[in-house]
Amino acid sequence: MKKMKGVVISGKNQMEMRNDCALPEQIVSTGALIRPEIWSPCTSDAHLCATGCQSLPYLLGKAVGHEMCGVITEVGSDVHDFKVGDRVIACAVMPIWRSLEAQDGHAKMKSDNMYWGIDYPDRGGSFVEQYYIRDADMNLAHIPDNVSMEQAVMVPDMMCTAFTGVEALDLQFGETVAVLGIGPVCLTAVRACVLHGAGRIFAIGSRKVCFDVAKQYGATDLIDYHNENYLDKIIEINHGLVDKVILCGGGAKELNKGLKILKSGGTLVNLSAYFGGQPILINPADWGFGYADKTIKGVGCGGGRLLMSRMAQLISYGRIQPEKLITYRYHGMDKIPEAMNLFLNHDRSLIKPVIYND
Protein backbone atom coordinates (compact mmCIF):
# COMPACT_ATOMS: atom_id res chain seq x y z
CA MET A 1 0.00 0.00 0.00
CA LYS A 2 1.42 3.38 -0.99
CA LYS A 3 1.33 6.34 1.38
CA MET A 4 0.66 10.02 0.80
CA LYS A 5 0.05 13.28 2.62
CA GLY A 6 -3.38 14.12 3.97
CA VAL A 7 -5.07 16.27 6.59
CA VAL A 8 -6.72 14.11 9.24
CA ILE A 9 -8.79 14.54 12.37
CA SER A 10 -6.53 13.54 15.27
CA GLY A 11 -8.86 14.33 18.19
CA LYS A 12 -11.51 16.73 19.42
CA ASN A 13 -10.97 20.11 17.72
CA GLN A 14 -7.69 18.80 16.33
CA MET A 15 -6.51 18.36 12.75
CA GLU A 16 -3.02 17.68 11.49
CA MET A 17 -1.13 16.81 8.31
CA ARG A 18 0.24 13.28 8.12
CA ASN A 19 2.24 11.27 5.60
CA ASP A 20 0.53 7.92 6.12
CA CYS A 21 -2.78 8.23 4.27
CA ALA A 22 -3.33 5.08 2.22
CA LEU A 23 -3.40 4.94 -1.56
CA PRO A 24 -3.86 1.66 -3.45
CA GLU A 25 -0.95 0.29 -5.46
CA GLN A 26 -3.21 -0.10 -8.48
CA ILE A 27 -6.54 1.49 -9.38
CA VAL A 28 -9.49 -0.54 -10.67
CA SER A 29 -10.24 -0.50 -14.40
CA THR A 30 -13.13 1.97 -13.98
CA GLY A 31 -11.25 4.16 -11.54
CA ALA A 32 -9.23 7.35 -11.65
CA LEU A 33 -6.76 9.36 -9.62
CA ILE A 34 -7.27 13.11 -9.28
CA ARG A 35 -4.76 15.66 -8.06
CA PRO A 36 -6.79 18.16 -6.02
CA GLU A 37 -6.48 21.75 -7.19
CA ILE A 38 -8.90 23.23 -4.67
CA TRP A 39 -10.75 22.12 -1.53
CA SER A 40 -13.55 23.59 0.54
CA PRO A 41 -14.25 22.39 4.11
CA CYS A 42 -17.85 21.89 5.18
CA THR A 43 -19.79 22.22 8.42
CA SER A 44 -20.09 18.41 8.51
CA ASP A 45 -16.28 18.18 8.50
CA ALA A 46 -16.25 20.72 11.33
CA HIS A 47 -18.82 18.67 13.29
CA LEU A 48 -16.63 15.59 13.00
CA CYS A 49 -13.60 17.60 14.09
CA ALA A 50 -15.40 19.22 17.04
CA THR A 51 -16.54 15.84 18.34
CA GLY A 52 -13.39 13.90 17.50
CA CYS A 53 -15.39 11.71 15.08
CA GLN A 54 -17.66 10.56 17.90
CA SER A 55 -20.46 9.66 15.49
CA LEU A 56 -18.09 7.95 13.01
CA PRO A 57 -15.17 6.71 15.13
CA TYR A 58 -13.56 4.79 12.27
CA LEU A 59 -12.70 8.15 10.67
CA LEU A 60 -10.43 9.22 13.52
CA GLY A 61 -6.93 9.50 12.11
CA LYS A 62 -8.18 9.47 8.53
CA ALA A 63 -8.59 12.29 6.04
CA VAL A 64 -11.96 13.99 5.78
CA GLY A 65 -13.32 16.37 3.16
CA HIS A 66 -15.82 15.89 0.35
CA GLU A 67 -15.70 19.14 -1.64
CA MET A 68 -12.88 19.03 -4.17
CA CYS A 69 -12.04 19.70 -7.80
CA GLY A 70 -8.83 18.77 -9.56
CA VAL A 71 -7.00 17.37 -12.56
CA ILE A 72 -6.94 13.70 -13.54
CA THR A 73 -3.51 12.07 -13.26
CA GLU A 74 -4.43 8.46 -14.08
CA VAL A 75 -7.42 6.54 -15.47
CA GLY A 76 -8.26 2.87 -15.63
CA SER A 77 -8.56 0.91 -18.86
CA ASP A 78 -12.38 0.93 -18.78
CA VAL A 79 -12.80 4.69 -18.29
CA HIS A 80 -14.31 6.05 -21.52
CA ASP A 81 -15.21 9.71 -21.02
CA PHE A 82 -12.26 11.11 -19.07
CA LYS A 83 -8.53 11.30 -19.70
CA VAL A 84 -5.36 12.42 -17.98
CA GLY A 85 -5.24 16.22 -17.75
CA ASP A 86 -9.03 16.77 -17.64
CA ARG A 87 -10.32 19.28 -15.08
CA VAL A 88 -13.03 17.55 -13.09
CA ILE A 89 -15.51 17.89 -10.26
CA ALA A 90 -15.47 14.96 -7.83
CA CYS A 91 -18.79 13.81 -6.45
CA ALA A 92 -19.46 14.53 -2.76
CA VAL A 93 -21.35 11.24 -2.51
CA MET A 94 -20.29 8.04 -4.23
CA PRO A 95 -23.34 6.10 -5.45
CA ILE A 96 -22.85 2.59 -6.78
CA TRP A 97 -24.68 2.90 -10.08
CA ARG A 98 -24.72 -0.86 -10.72
CA SER A 99 -27.22 -1.48 -7.92
CA LEU A 100 -30.90 -2.20 -7.42
CA GLU A 101 -31.16 1.07 -5.49
CA ALA A 102 -29.93 2.97 -8.55
CA GLN A 103 -32.42 1.19 -10.80
CA ASP A 104 -35.14 2.14 -8.34
CA GLY A 105 -34.20 5.82 -8.62
CA HIS A 106 -32.37 6.05 -5.28
CA ALA A 107 -28.73 5.63 -6.25
CA LYS A 108 -27.34 7.58 -3.29
CA MET A 109 -28.86 5.04 -0.92
CA LYS A 110 -26.26 2.53 -2.16
CA SER A 111 -22.79 4.01 -1.83
CA ASP A 112 -19.26 2.89 -1.05
CA ASN A 113 -19.57 4.66 2.28
CA MET A 114 -22.41 6.65 3.76
CA TYR A 115 -20.01 9.40 4.82
CA TRP A 116 -19.68 11.82 1.93
CA GLY A 117 -16.61 11.73 -0.24
CA ILE A 118 -15.05 8.69 1.34
CA ASP A 119 -14.61 6.38 -1.61
CA TYR A 120 -11.65 4.54 -0.16
CA PRO A 121 -12.25 3.80 3.54
CA ASP A 122 -8.62 3.16 4.52
CA ARG A 123 -7.68 6.60 3.31
CA GLY A 124 -10.72 8.74 4.07
CA GLY A 125 -11.89 11.81 2.22
CA SER A 126 -10.51 14.33 -0.24
CA PHE A 127 -8.00 16.29 1.90
CA VAL A 128 -5.20 14.25 0.33
CA GLU A 129 -2.54 14.49 -2.38
CA GLN A 130 -4.23 12.02 -4.72
CA TYR A 131 -7.95 11.34 -4.62
CA TYR A 132 -8.98 7.85 -5.70
CA ILE A 133 -12.40 7.23 -7.21
CA ARG A 134 -13.64 3.81 -8.34
CA ASP A 135 -16.23 4.83 -10.94
CA ALA A 136 -14.91 7.81 -12.87
CA ASP A 137 -17.47 7.84 -15.68
CA MET A 138 -20.36 8.00 -13.24
CA ASN A 139 -19.00 10.10 -10.34
CA LEU A 140 -16.89 12.74 -12.05
CA ALA A 141 -18.00 15.69 -14.19
CA HIS A 142 -16.08 17.85 -16.64
CA ILE A 143 -15.55 21.50 -15.72
CA PRO A 144 -16.54 23.81 -18.63
CA ASP A 145 -13.72 25.97 -19.95
CA ASN A 146 -15.34 29.20 -18.73
CA VAL A 147 -15.90 27.90 -15.18
CA SER A 148 -13.19 28.52 -12.58
CA MET A 149 -12.02 26.02 -9.99
CA GLU A 150 -13.48 28.07 -7.14
CA GLN A 151 -16.84 28.17 -8.89
CA ALA A 152 -16.71 24.43 -9.60
CA VAL A 153 -15.83 23.43 -6.02
CA MET A 154 -19.22 24.74 -4.90
CA VAL A 155 -20.91 22.08 -7.07
CA PRO A 156 -20.24 18.76 -5.22
CA ASP A 157 -22.13 19.68 -2.04
CA MET A 158 -23.42 23.26 -1.91
CA MET A 159 -25.20 23.16 -5.26
CA CYS A 160 -26.01 19.44 -5.46
CA THR A 161 -27.54 19.48 -1.97
CA ALA A 162 -29.44 22.75 -2.40
CA PHE A 163 -30.90 21.98 -5.81
CA THR A 164 -31.84 18.44 -4.80
CA GLY A 165 -33.67 19.88 -1.79
CA VAL A 166 -35.50 22.52 -3.78
CA GLU A 167 -36.60 19.90 -6.30
CA ALA A 168 -38.09 17.95 -3.38
CA LEU A 169 -40.23 20.99 -2.47
CA ASP A 170 -42.26 20.44 -5.66
CA LEU A 171 -42.24 24.20 -5.97
CA GLN A 172 -44.95 25.80 -8.11
CA PHE A 173 -44.51 29.09 -9.97
CA GLY A 174 -45.15 32.10 -7.78
CA GLU A 175 -45.22 30.24 -4.46
CA THR A 176 -43.77 31.73 -1.29
CA VAL A 177 -40.80 30.03 0.38
CA ALA A 178 -39.24 30.62 3.80
CA VAL A 179 -35.57 29.62 4.03
CA LEU A 180 -34.85 29.21 7.73
CA GLY A 181 -31.13 29.63 8.47
CA ILE A 182 -29.16 31.01 5.51
CA GLY A 183 -25.78 29.33 5.67
CA PRO A 184 -23.96 28.40 2.45
CA VAL A 185 -26.19 25.47 1.42
CA CYS A 186 -29.36 27.44 1.97
CA LEU A 187 -28.06 30.58 0.35
CA THR A 188 -27.63 28.35 -2.68
CA ALA A 189 -31.17 27.10 -2.08
CA VAL A 190 -32.39 30.70 -2.27
CA ARG A 191 -30.98 30.92 -5.78
CA ALA A 192 -32.40 27.49 -6.65
CA CYS A 193 -35.86 28.68 -5.54
CA VAL A 194 -35.56 31.68 -7.85
CA LEU A 195 -34.61 29.43 -10.78
CA HIS A 196 -37.52 27.10 -9.94
CA GLY A 197 -39.99 29.98 -10.13
CA ALA A 198 -40.62 31.01 -6.53
CA GLY A 199 -42.41 34.31 -6.05
CA ARG A 200 -41.61 35.62 -2.58
CA ILE A 201 -38.57 34.26 -0.72
CA PHE A 202 -37.99 34.95 2.98
CA ALA A 203 -34.30 34.56 3.89
CA ILE A 204 -34.11 34.10 7.67
CA GLY A 205 -30.74 34.54 9.37
CA SER A 206 -28.69 36.99 11.41
CA ARG A 207 -25.39 37.72 9.67
CA LYS A 208 -24.93 40.65 7.31
CA VAL A 209 -22.50 38.73 5.08
CA CYS A 210 -25.22 36.12 4.46
CA PHE A 211 -27.98 38.69 4.00
CA ASP A 212 -25.89 40.45 1.35
CA VAL A 213 -25.54 37.25 -0.70
CA ALA A 214 -29.18 36.27 -0.13
CA LYS A 215 -30.26 39.60 -1.65
CA GLN A 216 -27.93 39.13 -4.61
CA TYR A 217 -29.30 35.62 -5.14
CA GLY A 218 -32.88 36.88 -5.28
CA ALA A 219 -34.35 36.83 -1.76
CA THR A 220 -37.20 39.32 -1.53
CA ASP A 221 -37.34 39.63 2.28
CA LEU A 222 -34.47 39.50 4.78
CA ILE A 223 -35.57 38.50 8.30
CA ASP A 224 -33.34 38.57 11.41
CA TYR A 225 -34.35 35.75 13.72
CA HIS A 226 -32.98 37.67 16.70
CA ASN A 227 -35.91 40.06 16.38
CA GLU A 228 -38.76 39.21 18.71
CA ASN A 229 -41.79 37.54 17.15
CA TYR A 230 -40.08 37.21 13.75
CA LEU A 231 -42.29 34.24 12.86
CA ASP A 232 -45.42 36.27 13.46
CA LYS A 233 -43.88 39.06 11.41
CA ILE A 234 -43.42 36.73 8.43
CA ILE A 235 -47.08 35.67 8.61
CA GLU A 236 -48.15 39.29 8.93
CA ILE A 237 -46.24 40.68 5.96
CA ASN A 238 -46.99 37.60 3.85
CA HIS A 239 -50.71 37.95 4.67
CA GLY A 240 -50.77 34.32 5.72
CA LEU A 241 -48.70 31.19 6.02
CA VAL A 242 -46.02 30.33 3.47
CA ASP A 243 -46.31 27.62 0.82
CA LYS A 244 -42.97 25.94 1.39
CA VAL A 245 -40.19 25.91 4.02
CA ILE A 246 -36.52 24.98 3.78
CA LEU A 247 -34.86 24.14 7.10
CA CYS A 248 -31.13 24.76 7.22
CA GLY A 249 -29.96 24.28 10.77
CA GLY A 250 -30.78 23.74 14.41
CA GLY A 251 -32.93 20.92 15.71
CA ALA A 252 -36.48 20.12 16.80
CA LYS A 253 -37.19 23.72 17.87
CA GLU A 254 -36.37 25.00 14.40
CA LEU A 255 -38.40 22.21 12.82
CA ASN A 256 -41.43 23.35 14.81
CA LYS A 257 -40.80 26.96 13.82
CA GLY A 258 -40.85 25.92 10.19
CA LEU A 259 -44.08 23.98 10.65
CA LYS A 260 -45.64 26.93 12.46
CA ILE A 261 -45.36 29.22 9.42
CA LEU A 262 -46.17 26.48 6.86
CA LYS A 263 -49.67 26.37 5.38
CA SER A 264 -51.84 23.27 5.33
CA GLY A 265 -50.82 21.12 2.39
CA GLY A 266 -47.34 22.65 2.36
CA THR A 267 -43.95 20.94 2.32
CA LEU A 268 -40.95 21.40 4.63
CA VAL A 269 -37.60 20.12 3.40
CA ASN A 270 -34.72 19.70 5.84
CA LEU A 271 -31.37 20.27 4.15
CA SER A 272 -28.85 20.58 6.95
CA ALA A 273 -30.43 20.43 10.42
CA TYR A 274 -28.89 17.53 12.33
CA PHE A 275 -31.15 15.89 14.91
CA GLY A 276 -28.67 13.50 16.54
CA GLY A 277 -29.92 10.47 18.45
CA GLN A 278 -32.67 12.12 20.47
CA PRO A 279 -36.39 11.79 19.64
CA ILE A 280 -37.83 14.66 17.61
CA LEU A 281 -40.69 16.32 19.48
CA ILE A 282 -43.21 17.95 17.15
CA ASN A 283 -45.64 20.47 18.57
CA PRO A 284 -49.09 19.07 17.69
CA ALA A 285 -50.56 22.54 17.06
CA ASP A 286 -47.77 23.40 14.60
CA TRP A 287 -48.55 20.16 12.76
CA GLY A 288 -52.27 20.88 12.69
CA PHE A 289 -52.74 18.16 15.31
CA GLY A 290 -51.81 15.65 12.63
CA TYR A 291 -54.51 16.72 10.16
CA ALA A 292 -52.91 19.61 8.26
CA ASP A 293 -51.43 17.56 5.36
CA LYS A 294 -48.02 19.08 6.08
CA THR A 295 -45.22 17.05 4.52
CA ILE A 296 -41.75 16.80 6.10
CA LYS A 297 -38.85 15.57 3.98
CA GLY A 298 -35.21 15.03 4.88
CA VAL A 299 -33.07 15.43 1.77
CA GLY A 300 -29.39 14.57 1.33
CA CYS A 301 -26.95 15.59 -1.35
CA GLY A 302 -27.72 14.28 -4.80
CA GLY A 303 -24.81 12.58 -6.54
CA GLY A 304 -23.52 11.53 -9.89
CA ARG A 305 -22.12 12.89 -13.10
CA LEU A 306 -25.40 14.00 -14.64
CA LEU A 307 -26.44 16.18 -11.72
CA MET A 308 -22.98 17.74 -11.37
CA SER A 309 -22.82 18.40 -15.11
CA ARG A 310 -26.15 20.20 -14.97
CA MET A 311 -24.95 22.31 -12.04
CA ALA A 312 -21.81 23.21 -14.00
CA GLN A 313 -24.00 24.28 -16.92
CA LEU A 314 -25.91 26.65 -14.65
CA ILE A 315 -22.61 28.28 -13.71
CA SER A 316 -21.34 28.33 -17.27
CA TYR A 317 -24.40 30.20 -18.53
CA GLY A 318 -24.51 32.68 -15.67
CA ARG A 319 -27.60 31.37 -13.89
CA ILE A 320 -25.74 31.28 -10.58
CA GLN A 321 -22.50 32.78 -9.30
CA PRO A 322 -21.45 30.32 -6.57
CA GLU A 323 -18.18 32.16 -5.94
CA LYS A 324 -20.24 34.74 -4.03
CA LEU A 325 -20.27 32.21 -1.18
CA ILE A 326 -16.49 32.35 -0.77
CA THR A 327 -15.32 34.68 1.98
CA TYR A 328 -11.84 33.24 2.70
CA ARG A 329 -9.10 31.97 0.36
CA TYR A 330 -6.02 30.05 1.46
CA HIS A 331 -3.08 28.47 -0.34
CA GLY A 332 -1.48 25.13 0.54
CA MET A 333 -2.76 21.88 2.06
CA ASP A 334 -1.27 22.88 5.39
CA LYS A 335 -3.83 25.70 5.59
CA ILE A 336 -6.81 23.31 5.78
CA PRO A 337 -6.80 23.22 9.62
CA GLU A 338 -6.72 27.04 9.70
CA ALA A 339 -9.71 27.17 7.38
CA MET A 340 -11.50 24.60 9.53
CA ASN A 341 -10.95 26.74 12.61
CA LEU A 342 -13.21 29.38 11.06
CA PHE A 343 -16.09 26.93 11.52
CA LEU A 344 -14.97 25.75 14.95
CA ASN A 345 -14.67 29.36 16.18
CA HIS A 346 -18.07 30.30 14.70
CA ASP A 347 -16.57 33.18 12.73
CA ARG A 348 -19.48 35.45 11.80
CA SER A 349 -17.73 36.69 8.68
CA LEU A 350 -17.54 33.16 7.26
CA ILE A 351 -19.70 31.69 4.54
CA LYS A 352 -17.28 29.33 2.77
CA PRO A 353 -13.49 29.06 2.69
CA VAL A 354 -11.48 27.53 -0.14
CA ILE A 355 -7.92 26.24 -0.12
CA TYR A 356 -5.82 26.16 -3.30
CA ASN A 357 -3.39 23.27 -3.58
CA ASP A 358 -0.31 25.29 -4.49
Side-chain angles (χ1 to χ4, degrees), residues 270-283:
N270 172 42
L271 283 185
S272 55
Y274 179 70
F275 296 101
Q278 298 301 315
I280 300 172
L281 301 178
I282 294 177
N283 186 329

Side-chain angles (χ1 to χ4, degrees), residues 7-323:
V7 176
V8 309
I9 294 176
S10 54
K12 288 186 178 181
N13 295 312
Q14 294 179 344
M15 298 189 76
E16 62 182 40
M17 184 132 67
R18 291 185 181 173
N19 297 313
D20 59 354
C21 291
L23 185 64
E25 294 287 345
Q26 184 176 358
I27 65 174
V28 297
S29 64
T30 57
L33 286 178
I34 301 101
R35 179 188 184 275
E37 296 287 316
I38 191 169
W39 299 280
S40 185
C42 179
T43 51
S44 58
D45 299 317
H47 174 75
L48 286 170
C49 187
T51 61
C53 298
Q54 184 176 4
S55 58
L56 299 171
Y58 59 88
L59 290 181
L60 191 64
K62 296 184 176 65
V64 288
H66 53 266
E67 298 178 56
M68 182 274 289
C69 295
V71 174
I72 293 178
T73 60
E74 184 180 346
V75 295
S77 58
D78 290 325
V79 175
H80 303 294
D81 298 328
F82 297 90
K83 65 183 185 302
V84 171
D86 284 351
R87 299 192 316 149
V88 292
I89 306 165
C91 200
V93 294
M94 296 292 171
I96 297 174
W97 296 98
R98 288 176 57 85
S99 67
L100 296 180
E101 289 83 355
Q103 292 187 29
D104 198 33
H106 301 284
K108 64 185 178 183
M109 296 297 103
K110 180 72 172 180
S111 62
D112 283 338
N113 194 294
M114 287 306 293
Y115 179 70
W116 294 359
I118 296 178
D119 184 52
Y120 191 70
D122 290 337
R123 177 212 60 211
S126 62
F127 294 160
V128 288
E129 288 183 289
Q130 292 283 333
Y131 189 63
Y132 173 45
I133 184 169
R134 289 188 178 91
D135 193 347
D137 283 331
M138 291 294 99
N139 286 319
L140 294 177
H142 291 285
I143 300 175
D145 290 341
N146 67 334
V147 173
S148 69
M149 281 290 184
E150 67 177 38
Q151 290 176 312
V153 78
M154 295 296 114
V155 168
D157 185 359
M158 299 301 100
M159 290 185 65
C160 285
T161 298
F163 278 78
T164 300
V166 171
E167 285 182 349
L169 283 176
D170 192 23
L171 191 61
Q172 304 300 305
F173 289 115
E175 285 191 320
T176 297
V177 183
V179 183
L180 185 56
I182 47 171
V185 169
C186 290
L187 283 171
T188 311
V190 167
R191 186 61 189 159
C193 286
V194 171
L195 294 176
H196 274 268
R200 194 169 200 173
I201 301 173
F202 290 94
I204 304 159
S206 66
R207 294 184 289 149
K208 182 181 183 302
V209 65
C210 294
F211 281 141
D212 289 345
V213 175
K215 192 67 174 178
Q216 294 174 51
Y217 277 180
T220 56
D221 298 83
L222 308 176
I223 304 293
D224 190 332
Y225 60 71
H226 286 140
N227 293 338
E228 189 176 0
N229 299 323
Y230 74 93
L231 295 175
D232 293 336
K233 184 67 175 177
I234 291 172
I235 296 170
E236 176 188 343
I237 62 179
N238 189 54
H239 305 294
L241 303 172
V242 302
D243 298 296
K244 304 288 167 61
V245 171
I246 298 176
L247 181 61
C248 305
K253 288 183 179 179
E254 283 67 34
L255 174 63
N256 281 292
K257 290 174 182 177
L259 290 173
K260 182 176 181 179
I261 60 174
L262 180 66
K263 74 174 187 180
S264 296
T267 298
L268 181 151
V269 166
N270 172 42
L271 283 185
S272 55
Y274 179 70
F275 296 101
Q278 298 301 315
I280 300 172
L281 301 178
I282 294 177
N283 186 329
D286 295 337
W287 193 31
F289 300 97
Y291 295 97
D293 292 324
K294 295 184 181 184
T295 300
I296 302 172
K297 297 180 180 180
V299 176
C301 179
R305 176 180 171 185
L306 182 60
L307 176 61
M308 293 192 299
S309 297
R310 288 171 174 169
M311 298 298 101
Q313 286 286 87
L314 290 174
I315 301 171
S316 180
Y317 289 101
R319 301 300 189 186
I320 185 171
Q321 294 79 40
E323 70 276 11

